[in-house]
């Protein structure tokens, strides 16, 4: 949640916009409806925000900046196997703490600059899989296969975020899913190396 110095009005607009984006997506979100929900005039909205895109920026930029910092820290060093659960746990907790913004990013990215940013996050996930394969001696992995793995993982995150789970429940689910992914991944590596 942002810390607004200018009082409740800006925060009310911000919260009404989040609700509108979650319900209708970016394209169909209405500034008039946001103002009505916040109990303010459109003039008040324009006092605090330039336009609908500016509101979206204020919601998503902190999420994306925090995500990038976390990923940079996770990829320092190259012991990918040992970091698997630690990184997964941090990511799940971060997404949970920023649940609304993460869902808005997924839901509202189409037709905005966030489509490209979402694509870079998705490509980062593919790169993570590719790095894991390389760490385990597999250097030639088909890009379409990496797409499938990244899509499956992204869909899993989205389903966890959209569910009505506590942080502890999400962490438990994520730990189980990671154990499933890891055992499947290392079994796949053995198969790709021709060991079974």
């Amino acid at each position: 949640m942002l810390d607004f110095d200018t009082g409740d009005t800006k925060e009310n607009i911000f919260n009404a916009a989040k609700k509108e984006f979650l319900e209708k997506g970016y394209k169909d979100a209405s500034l008039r409806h946001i103002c009505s929900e916040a109990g303010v005039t459109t003039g008040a909205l324009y006092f605090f925000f330039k336009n609908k895109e500016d509101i979206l920026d204020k919601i998503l930029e902190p999420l994306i900046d925090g995500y990038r910092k976390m990923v940079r820290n996770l990829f320092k060093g190259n012991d990918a196997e040992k970091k698997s659960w630690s990184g997964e746990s941090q990511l799940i907790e971060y997404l949970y703490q920023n649940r609304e913004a993460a869902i808005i990013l997924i839901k509202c990215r189409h037709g905005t600059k966030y489509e490209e940013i979402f694509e870079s996050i998705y490509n980062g996930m593919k790169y993570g899989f590719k790095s894991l394969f390389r760490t385990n001696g597999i250097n030639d992995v088909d890009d379409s296969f990496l797409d499938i793995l990244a899509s499956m993982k992204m869909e899993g995150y989205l389903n966890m975020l959209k569910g009505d789970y506590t942080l502890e429940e999400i962490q438990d689910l994520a730990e189980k899913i990671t154990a499933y992914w890891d055992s499947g991944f290392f079994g796949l590596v053995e198969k790709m190396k021709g060991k079974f």
Side-chain angles (χ1 to χ4, degrees), residues 54-90:
D54 186 37
I55 300 171
L56 187 65
D57 289 344
K58 300 292 188 278
I59 294 169
L60 296 182
E61 285 175 357
L63 170 78
I64 291 164
D65 290 345
Y67 172 81
R68 286 179 174 151
K69 280 181 193 169
M70 186 181 62
V71 168
R72 276 194 300 272
N73 289 333
L74 286 175
F75 279 96
K76 287 180 181 172
N78 53 1
D79 193 354
E81 186 176 336
K82 286 184 181 175
K83 289 183 178 185
S84 177
W85 168 241
S86 171
E88 197 83 14
S89 177
Q90 288 177 43

Side-chain angles (χ1 to χ4, degrees), residues 12-107:
N12 289 343
I13 295 167
F14 184 79
N15 290 331
K18 283 198 298 187
K19 182 178 177 190
E20 181 84 351
F21 291 150
L22 284 166
E23 289 174 4
K24 298 180 181 170
Y26 177 75
K27 183 180 172 190
D28 294 329
S30 159
L31 288 180
R32 283 191 185 141
H33 192 264
I34 290 168
C35 290
S36 174
E37 182 75 24
V40 300
T41 64
T42 54
L45 183 141
Y46 285 118
F47 179 79
F48 295 109
F49 301 101
K50 295 176 197 166
N51 50 34
K52 188 164 67 167
E53 184 179 9
D54 186 37
I55 300 171
L56 187 65
D57 289 344
K58 300 292 188 278
I59 294 169
L60 296 182
E61 285 175 357
L63 170 78
I64 291 164
D65 290 345
Y67 172 81
R68 286 179 174 151
K69 280 181 193 169
M70 186 181 62
V71 168
R72 276 194 300 272
N73 289 333
L74 286 175
F75 279 96
K76 287 180 181 172
N78 53 1
D79 193 354
E81 186 176 336
K82 286 184 181 175
K83 289 183 178 185
S84 177
W85 168 241
S86 171
E88 197 83 14
S89 177
Q90 288 177 43
L91 179 59
I92 291 297
E93 187 169 340
Y94 180 75
L95 292 175
Y96 180 83
Q97 290 168 348
N98 297 279
R99 173 185 243 160
E100 287 180 331
I103 294 170
I104 289 169
L105 173 63
I106 294 165
K107 191 173 186 175

Side-chain angles (χ1 to χ4, degrees), residues 61-62 92 120 144 173 184:
E61 285 175 357
I92 291 297
S120 76
S144 61
L173 284 170

